[in-house]
Amino acid sequence: MWRWVGVVLSLFILGCQMREVQPTFKDECGILRSNVDWSNRIKVLNLLSLAFSQKCDAAIIEYTEEAQSGFRDKTFSFSREMAGVFLSDGVLTEYVLESYERAYLSVLLAASYLRTGHVEDAKVELRRLDHELFAPLYNFGEDPVNLVLSAVLWEVLGEPGDARTDWFRLAEPTSSFLLHVPPALQSFAQKQVVRLDQGARPTPQWEIYGVGRFPEVDWDFKLFGAPNGYFVIHPKPPFQELCISETGLRLSTESWFAKIAHRHDHAYHPLLNIQSWIRLPVGVVYGLVPFSLGVGVAVGGCAGAASLGGRGSGDLCALSILGGTQLMQVAPTVFQNTVRPDLRHWELLPAAIVVTQESDVGSEPCDSHQARLHHLVTRVPAPPLSS
């Protein structure tokens, strides 16, 4: 009976693997109405990306604020947090937006308001973006990508003072361990601060594109020497390097990836860090279950075959060894699926943003020549939505 219990437990743990969300939609601008399932938060975020790329601004305006408020805060449950150490990370908890995801939702919403001519509503969303980056929530911290997007959007909206604030944050970054601004980006931001201080006219006609596709998040187990618990987390494929030109820049969303990689840092989430270390011996025990079952099947099957005798005993022993070996090979997978980190994230995000003053992004020296996922700023806003 205990062997069967072990087999069932092993199969249960194997079934807890996370599958990549593959959102589907039926028609161009009925994406969310036909597919929205608020219990699947990652899918909702992906559908919002699809709706924005299809220029379904009415859907973005209708649903984004609900996602911002509904996915923003973490509800702690003592029983779930305790039970969670015996299962794969995140199985019992709903996904909570990272700060960069909350801010990027505000970017999409502000861009939709801008495209539909609702300038004041766009400004309200940019002020929300600023709040989301600094809100002392479960997931916190600013990032250079959203600061660049905010600065450019403020300029497009005709608010150079607010734009200067964001450019200055990039030019003079704080000592936060979550905000790393490359020196080349600092220099570019400093030039924008000087330009705004000098009241340069005309204001650059910025265009912003989200290009490429956010890479897959992969991980390896490394007990000693890993910077983040016992996880080594890396992107597949790697991000492109920062590019600065006279007319714009290309900035990868690697800072967003870093938030995922640092999710189990003690300095960022002490609770997740402690849970991951408690889960480590639990995973070892779980891994030993199919291994010991495999040994028992192999040894017990051959012993039983030998006691029965006859010409079929050799075949029975070989079959027992084969079955036992298969069970033993499951052990590493069971261990990995138990101790793996929670790497859920908003998947349909750009791999980089391209900010340019060129009317044709193909003329921008820093263009990555990748597929455009999002066109975040157009030069001439569309007319307002008809009431």
Side-chain angles (χ1 to χ4, degrees), residues 103-119:
Y104 192 64
L105 279 174
S106 289
V107 167
L108 295 186
L109 189 50
S112 287
Y113 278 131
L114 180 61
R115 284 198 301 214
T116 55
H118 294 81
V119 175

Side-chain angles (χ1 to χ4, degrees), residues 117-128:
H118 294 81
V119 175
E120 292 304 317
D121 290 323
K123 294 178 182 180
V124 169
E125 279 309 311
L126 287 184
R127 292 189 177 92
R128 181 202 287 260

Side-chain angles (χ1 to χ4, degrees), residues 121-170:
D121 290 323
K123 294 178 182 180
V124 169
E125 279 309 311
L126 287 184
R127 292 189 177 92
R128 181 202 287 260
L129 180 155
D130 187 67
H131 174 71
E132 294 296 352
L133 289 178
F134 291 93
L137 297 174
Y138 178 73
N139 292 329
F140 60 91
E142 55 189 327
D143 68 272
V145 177
N146 279 307
L147 287 175
V148 169
L149 293 173
S150 178
V152 174
L153 280 166
W154 276 124
E155 287 204 55
V156 172
L157 290 168
E159 296 291 345
D162 291 288
R164 185 195 184 281
T165 299
D166 288 328
W167 286 125
F168 185 78
R169 287 174 183 166
L170 292 165

Side-chain angles (χ1 to χ4, degrees), residues 40-59:
N40 190 336
R41 297 185 172 187
I42 300 296
K43 183 176 181 179
V44 171
L45 296 173
N46 287 332
L47 290 172
L48 286 169
S49 283
L50 289 171
F52 186 86
S53 65
Q54 299 283 348
K55 297 185 178 179
C56 304
D57 297 309

Side-chain angles (χ1 to χ4, degrees), residues 12-20 88 91 333 337 340:
F12 172 75
I13 296 170
L14 285 172
C16 290
Q17 300 182 54
M18 296 292 180
R19 294 185 176 88
E20 182 180 359
S88 300
V91 169
T333 305
N337 287 336
R340 62 166 175 76

